[in-house]
Amino acid sequence: MVQFSYHASHEQFPPSLLLTYAQQAEQAGFQAITCSDHFHPWSERQGESGFAWSWLGAAMQAASLPFGVVCAPGQRYHPAIIAQAAATLGEMFPDRFWVALGSGQAMNEAITGPTWPIKAQRNARLKECVDIMRALWAGETVTHHGLVCVEEAKLYTRAAHPPQIMGAAITPKTAEWVGGWADGLITISHPHDKLRQVVEAFRRGGGEDKPMYLKVQLSYAEDDETALTGAYDQWRTNIFDSPVQTDFRHPQQFDAAASFVKPEDMYDHVRIAADPQQHIDWLQKDIDLGFETISLHNVNRGQQRFIDVFGEQILPALQSVRPRE
């Protein structure tokens, strides 16, 4: 059966408020929590950027659900440090934490100063980081000289069961690549024909029997106009193709590019509707594609109404549903 997560967006809300939302989501019937890991927000209007790893320790104590985070080791984070952080959470909260790893965006990773690599090099670096982290979780003493360097590192505090590593992919090409090394896939919502291509590529690349997670970007509100206005205000800076998303360095650049975005453009990138049944229909199609964990990110600021209505109406309608194909 499908599991639904509440997505805690560190770009949009202070971490203290996200703690409250995580607790409310658990009470409303959400079965897991996911969060972003940003140094900068996507827009000056969003205006937040809490440190995800500090928040996770507090949030996993405040709520009893499984948690996952998407991050990019290799530049802003050394993989040995992420391995240590994940192992510590895994030891404190057994079998409740997973981590999704991706090649990152310059807006977060380039702050440390080194040149922002091309995509092929970022992918190669990511795979090195994955191998290093898994070796450390296995108790090995790791020395590695490559795109990242490690000297005689060993983790003394480890989880009984290492966290799952989900491979973050947006395009079919990347999804096929992560199918060969990741424990599962995490991707974001697209039109369902495009999303099907990502799923098929992941399975083709080696992910046939591996779990698939989906982050759904939606905007729910009391009426359609409010849902559209909220999505446009908060998320119009995050609808660009991958080269823009990964290579822009500052929120001001995203805001400048988004000055050309029209409100009606949002419908191609965010599921905008006030009708709960419309969201149920969209999510049923996700389930049909084989996604077993679906993280729901309400991109507007109206989190309380979203948590309440989805907990009362939408999650109960779908949690016992199985794929139709």
Side-chain angles (χ1 to χ4, degrees):
M1 294 188 295
V2 67
Q3 178 185 72
F4 288 98
S5 301
Y6 172 77
H7 182 74
S9 177
H10 283 289
E11 309 95 289
Q12 296 176 273
F13 302 99
S16 56
L17 184 55
L18 288 177
L19 278 181
T20 300
Y21 288 151
Q23 292 173 312
Q24 292 173 344
E26 180 176 27
Q27 294 166 2
F30 285 81
Q31 298 161 301
I33 306 291
T34 60
C35 76
S36 52
D37 178 10
H38 274 236
F39 193 87
H40 291 131
W42 297 101
S43 167
E44 292 287 339
R45 288 182 313 283
Q46 292 176 341
E48 295 289 342
S49 193
F51 185 51
W53 294 91
S54 298
W55 183 82
L56 282 162
M60 293 183 75
Q61 179 66 26
S64 63
L65 301 175
F67 278 70
V69 63
V70 183
C71 75
Q75 189 156 330
R76 176 171 50 129
Y77 292 132
H78 193 283
I81 302 304
I82 293 301
Q84 183 184 31
T88 297
L89 289 173
E91 193 280 332
M92 290 193 297
F93 308 106
D95 302 318
R96 285 179 51 202
F97 179 70
W98 55 266
V99 59
L101 302 181
S103 59
Q105 296 110 6
M107 66 181 294
N108 298 312
E109 316 311 326
I111 61 164
T112 54
T115 301
W116 180 239
I118 62 172
K119 175 65 171 174
Q121 191 174 22
R122 297 201 307 272
N123 281 353
R125 182 175 66 182
L126 173 60
K127 184 56 170 61
E128 287 186 20
C129 291
V130 169
D131 294 341
I132 290 165
M133 292 170 64
R134 283 179 167 153
L136 288 168
W137 289 339
E140 299 177 21
T141 299
V142 177
T143 295
H144 176 87
H145 294 160
L147 294 171
V148 293
C149 293
V150 186
E151 292 286 350
E152 298 183 354
K154 180 178 179 179
L155 283 182
Y156 284 84
T157 296
R158 302 190 303 276
H161 302 105
Q164 278 196 318
I165 294 178
M166 310 301 289
I170 296 176
T171 66
K173 182 178 180 180
T174 302
E176 183 170 1
W177 174 63
V178 304
W181 57 261
D183 296 321
L185 168 73
I186 185 167
T187 189
I188 63 173
S189 52
H190 300 290
H192 281 97
D193 56 344
K194 184 177 180 181
L195 197 55
R196 184 182 298 275
Q197 294 175 24
V198 172
V199 168
E200 291 173 349
F202 175 69
R203 290 172 172 165
R204 185 169 61 247
E208 183 64 38
D209 298 317
K210 298 178 180 179
M212 297 190 302
Y213 294 5
L214 177 67
K215 177 180 178 284
V216 171
Q217 294 163 175
L218 64 95
S219 186
Y220 170 79
E222 62 270 18
D223 58 69
D224 288 339
E225 182 178 357
T226 303
L228 175 59
T229 300
Y232 183 70
D233 174 70
Q234 286 292 291
W235 215 245
R236 67 179 182 267
T237 47
N238 196 23
I239 67 171
F240 305 112
D241 291 338
S242 186
V244 172
Q245 297 283 79
T246 56
D247 290 341
F248 276 6
R249 291 174 177 262
H250 308 292
Q252 296 88 344
Q253 291 174 304
F254 285 93
D255 282 326
S259 65
F260 298 97
V261 176
K262 300 175 182 178
E264 57 267 27
D265 296 334
M266 299 302 299
Y267 288 107
D268 293 331
H269 305 277
V270 177
R271 298 177 183 177
I272 302 170
D275 179 11
Q277 186 59 49
Q278 177 62 77
H279 289 283
I280 290 172
D281 293 344
W282 280 324
L283 290 166
Q284 176 65 65
K285 292 180 180 179
D286 300 328
I287 296 169
D288 292 344
L289 287 174
F291 289 101
E292 57 187 62
T293 295
I294 300 176
S295 178
L296 301 176
H297 179 192
N298 187 44
V299 302
N300 66 58
R301 291 195 175 274
Q303 298 300 294
Q304 188 61 67
R305 182 182 180 88
F306 158 71
I307 290 170
D308 291 343
V309 172
F310 272 61
E312 292 171 2
Q313 300 183 38
I314 294 177
L315 271 58
L318 289 167
Q319 283 173 335
S320 62
V321 169
R322 298 184 182 275
R324 294 180 297 198
E325 56 184 38

